Amino acid sequence: MAQRLAGDPDMTQPSLGRRVVAEIVATALLLATVVGSGVMAERLAGGNVALALLANTLATAGALIALILAFGPISGAHMNPAVTLADAAMGGMARRDVLPYVVAQISGAYLGVAVAHGMFELPVFSASHHVRAGPAQFLSEFVASFGLLATIWGVARRRPDAVPFAVAAYIVAAYWFTASTSFANPAVTLARAASDTFAGIRPADAPAFMVAQVLGAAAATLLFRWLVPALPQAAPDILVPHPGAASTVIFACVHNAGRSQMAAAFFNAMADASRARAVSAGTQPGERVHPEVIAAMREVGIDLSNAQPQRLTPELANKGNLLVTMGCGEACPAVPGLRRDDWPLTDPKGRPIEEVRRIRDEIRDRVAALVAAEKWKRSA
């Protein structure tokens, strides 16, 4: 298994400049595919619109898989302002990086349209006359974007390696079950308004599409934030795992049902998500968080009732920058180059609430000291 070693250059975050360039190039190639395959399909389909749409669909899906796999390890391969905004809202990327990403995506989208037009000897840009207006189109784009973000959030937490294929599969389906043929991307929408081809959209119709896309993405993100409270743990790896700006602290105990859950919850409440985040796990995960722990944490305004214990695997440990153990001892995976600390804390399972409160407060104090020492504290 490949380990994350201290000083390994492949595991350091690419500079913002490199990530921005990756977004420009990836988005440009996506638009070149969407527009170029639309032109080619229309020319070869002999007037059969269904056949042309099928060809456009398959080319787009293939490009999505390839581009996410190629550029995802650098920038995340968002290629979509709605995805970037949703990721930042979940703490997966620094908010100061949102504007550069969005500008890169829009710039790349227009570049991709220009390249596609050049390949087919068309004007560099031409306003589209393809009418896509009305409530049905608005609803279609809301559904398309909702489903796209739901697919990303639903798959990324447990199967991040499957995200490129899941996204492509959803887009293939949405091309056909939505009346709008699933743009699901504000940057794509803007650029396609400058292409009077099979894939175009009339400029006057673009704003409504973009509003629907942002609303759909926001609705899916809010839903999955409620369905899966631990979802922010996956946000830094959207769309696929890539070196992030934030450090990852892993709190580990035996059952992941008490000490480590409290520590991770306190950490994520105190720390700036753009600098550090916490996950928790156990060597022998229980079925649920201990009731007495849920009650004690609720007293300080943190709800762990939906938290789900998970196993501390070597793969999970390998994602961390710091491993804090709380009783799992030698059962915890050893990862070369991973900083490690041990907090000798009493297991709160089955103990009176007064004693659980004492353990809770000690964990909070230790977490606060860690956050302060590492300069990860959330700004007031």
Side-chain angles (χ1 to χ4, degrees), residues 221-302:
T221 300
L222 289 172
L223 174 64
F224 271 80
R225 181 67 180 88
W226 177 73
L227 290 174
V228 187
L231 197 61
Q233 297 176 6
D237 289 333
I238 299 300
L239 292 171
V240 298
H242 56 284
S247 298
T248 299
V249 178
I250 301 173
F251 292 99
C253 61
V254 178
H255 301 299
N256 191 214
R259 294 163 290 185
S260 56
Q261 290 281 357
M262 289 191 283
F266 278 131
F267 187 97
N268 288 328
M270 297 178 189
D272 182 342
S274 69
R275 299 177 185 174
R277 65 187 181 111
V279 297
S280 66
T283 53
Q284 301 174 35
E287 294 183 359
R288 59 189 176 91
V289 177
H290 302 316
E292 55 272 24
V293 169
I294 293 175
M297 292 297 285
R298 188 173 286 131
E299 293 176 354
V300 295
I302 296 177

Side-chain angles (χ1 to χ4, degrees), residues 34-357:
V34 172
V35 174
S37 65
V39 174
M40 179 68 81
E42 190 172 38
R43 291 182 178 181
L44 298 180
N48 187 327
V49 178
L51 182 59
L53 181 61
L54 178 61
N56 192 208
T57 302
L58 295 177
T60 301
L64 277 171
I65 294 172
L67 293 173
I68 294 171
L69 289 174
F71 293 94
I74 302 169
S75 68
H78 292 181
M79 300 178 285
N80 187 332
V83 172
T84 296
L85 289 168
D87 194 27
M90 295 286 273
M93 64 182 294
R95 296 189 179 184
R96 63 180 176 272
D97 293 347
V98 170
L99 182 58
Y101 261 57
V102 172
V103 171
Q105 291 154 358
I106 294 173
S107 302
Y110 277 105
L111 175 61
V113 168
V115 169
H117 287 179
M119 290 190 293
F120 289 94
E121 298 182 323
L122 298 172
V124 177
F125 296 116
S126 55
S128 176
H129 292 86
H130 194 151
V131 177
R132 300 179 189 265
Q137 296 285 315
F138 185 91
L139 177 60
S140 293
E141 278 306 291
F142 178 91
V143 171
S145 298
F146 180 93
L148 174 62
L149 267 295
T151 298
I152 292 170
W153 290 125
V155 177
R157 182 165 179 263
R158 294 296 187 185
R159 292 287 307 280
D161 57 324
V163 170
F165 307 96
V167 166
Y170 177 78
I171 292 298
V172 166
Y175 254 87
W176 288 88
F177 79 75
T178 64
S180 63
T181 65
S182 182
F183 284 42
N185 184 329
V188 165
T189 302
L190 279 173
R192 286 170 70 167
S195 179
D196 194 19
T197 63
F198 180 81
I201 175 175
R202 191 174 60 170
D205 301 331
F209 265 51
M210 294 166 65
V211 170
Q213 291 156 1
V214 172
L215 290 177
T221 300
L222 289 172
L223 174 64
F224 271 80
R225 181 67 180 88
W226 177 73
L227 290 174
V228 187
L231 197 61
Q233 297 176 6
D237 289 333
I238 299 300
L239 292 171
V240 298
H242 56 284
S247 298
T248 299
V249 178
I250 301 173
F251 292 99
C253 61
V254 178
H255 301 299
N256 191 214
R259 294 163 290 185
S260 56
Q261 290 281 357
M262 289 191 283
F266 278 131
F267 187 97
N268 288 328
M270 297 178 189
D272 182 342
S274 69
R275 299 177 185 174
R277 65 187 181 111
V279 297
S280 66
T283 53
Q284 301 174 35
E287 294 183 359
R288 59 189 176 91
V289 177
H290 302 316
E292 55 272 24
V293 169
I294 293 175
M297 292 297 285
R298 188 173 286 131
E299 293 176 354
V300 295
I302 296 177
D303 184 9
L304 292 179
S305 59
N306 292 319
Q308 182 63 46
Q310 65 174 330
R311 184 174 300 280
L312 177 60
T313 63
E315 291 76 16
L316 176 59
N318 196 45
K319 294 180 180 179
N321 303 96
L322 171 63
L323 174 64
V324 179
T325 57
M326 305 174 184
C328 61
E330 295 305 315
C332 290
V335 181
L338 176 62
R339 291 169 53 201
R340 184 165 175 172
D341 194 7
D342 185 70
W343 294 355
L345 297 162
T346 304
D347 188 347
K349 181 181 180 180
R351 297 185 179 277
I353 190 64
E354 294 81 6
E355 193 167 349
V356 177
R357 288 177 183 139

Side-chain angles (χ1 to χ4, degrees), residues 24-34 63 67 71 79 108 111-112 115:
I24 291 173
V25 176
T27 310
L29 288 171
L30 175 62
L31 266 294
T33 300
V34 172
L67 293 173
F71 293 94
M79 300 178 285
L111 175 61
V115 169

